Amino acid sequence: MKRALLIGTAVVVAGLTTATAIVGPELLAGYRFMDALDRYYASYEANGGAWPQIQDSCALCHGVNGQPRDAQYAALAGQPASYIEAQLHAFAEGRRHSAQMGPLAANLSDVQIKTLADYFSRQPPETTEAPEQDDALAKRGEAVVAARGCIACHGESLSGGPLGPRIAGQGEGYLSDQLKAFKHGQRQDPSQAMNAMASSLSDEELKATAHYLSGLAPAQPRSAH
């Protein structure tokens, strides 16, 4: 009887050892995945509050945390909160035209607009989509930016200031579209400074400016780690 019990115990132990060898790596991978998921959601909630967050609806076009990978869309990460807030109000009130942004902004409350502006202003910005480098074109763009005194409004690093948004590291396509819109009056700057500046640019200068700016690495906001 004792011998049979020992044999039975040995069989059970051998079976468990075999099962652990087979299933163990999968269990370990599962635990690691759950741990990573827990850490992700802890970081997610610490950054923007409990799920669902209103800014999640912006990610399809503007990317996770407001940093798109498509050069046609505006990068919101690291933009001054006052600028984001002003643009959302402009979209909502029809002072800035967009078939996509107009209806979305119109459905936001003032509190939601402030929440979005604060959230995106705290996110670390990156270069959206660095263009294929053209040194001659970039040099011409740099000269245009210096000659037009863009740092006066957009900050010394062109990463945003009290009067203007971050333009360093924005997508080349987005920058080009906005400069053309200002040049042709399709977008209005309340001060008219951008309209006057853009209208003074030739098509080649406009192209060079967008190319130069899109290749710049944006400065990080002070609250970013």
Side-chain angles (χ1 to χ4, degrees), residues 158-178:
L158 301 171
S159 291
L163 300 177
R166 167 170 80 86
I167 50 178
Q170 283 279 8
E172 186 171 9
Y174 176 76
L175 288 166
S176 180
D177 287 346
Q178 298 310 302

Side-chain angles (χ1 to χ4, degrees), residues 12 30 39 49 51 90 127 140 186 196 211 221 224:
V12 170
R39 283 186 280 109
W51 183 89
T127 300
R140 186 168 186 184
Q186 296 159 341
H211 182 78

Side-chain angles (χ1 to χ4, degrees), residues 148 182-183 188-189 191-201:
R148 299 303 194 280
F182 280 123
K183 180 174 182 174
Q188 294 294 323
D189 175 7
S191 71
Q192 291 294 299
M194 278 302 302
N195 297 98
M197 190 282 293
S199 65
S200 72
L201 299 180

Side-chain angles (χ1 to χ4, degrees), residues 133-144 208-209 211-213:
Q133 191 59 33
D134 183 327
D135 291 337
L137 193 62
K139 268 191 170 303
R140 186 168 186 184
E142 184 178 13
V144 170
T209 301
H211 182 78
Y212 167 67
L213 293 172

Side-chain angles (χ1 to χ4, degrees), residues 34-67:
M34 294 304 295
D35 181 60
L37 198 61
D38 287 343
R39 283 186 280 109
Y40 167 79
Y41 277 109
S43 174
Y44 171 88
E45 292 187 357
N47 187 26
W51 183 89
Q53 297 173 6
I54 187 172
Q55 59 268 14
D56 290 344
S57 61
C58 307
L60 183 61
C61 295
H62 297 288
V64 176
N65 304 128
Q67 183 55 60

Side-chain angles (χ1 to χ4, degrees), residues 23-107:
V23 180
E26 294 182 3
L27 285 174
L28 183 59
Y31 286 134
R32 285 175 175 167
F33 171 75
M34 294 304 295
D35 181 60
L37 198 61
D38 287 343
R39 283 186 280 109
Y40 167 79
Y41 277 109
S43 174
Y44 171 88
E45 292 187 357
N47 187 26
W51 183 89
Q53 297 173 6
I54 187 172
Q55 59 268 14
D56 290 344
S57 61
C58 307
L60 183 61
C61 295
H62 297 288
V64 176
N65 304 128
Q67 183 55 60
R69 298 301 173 200
D70 187 328
Q72 295 296 323
Y73 293 105
L76 306 179
Q79 291 287 11
S82 57
Y83 174 78
I84 296 174
E85 191 173 343
Q87 296 311 300
L88 286 173
H89 281 298
F91 281 126
E93 296 162 14
R95 290 181 283 108
R96 183 174 174 184
H97 303 288
S98 168
Q100 292 78 34
M101 284 302 304
L104 292 172
N107 284 319

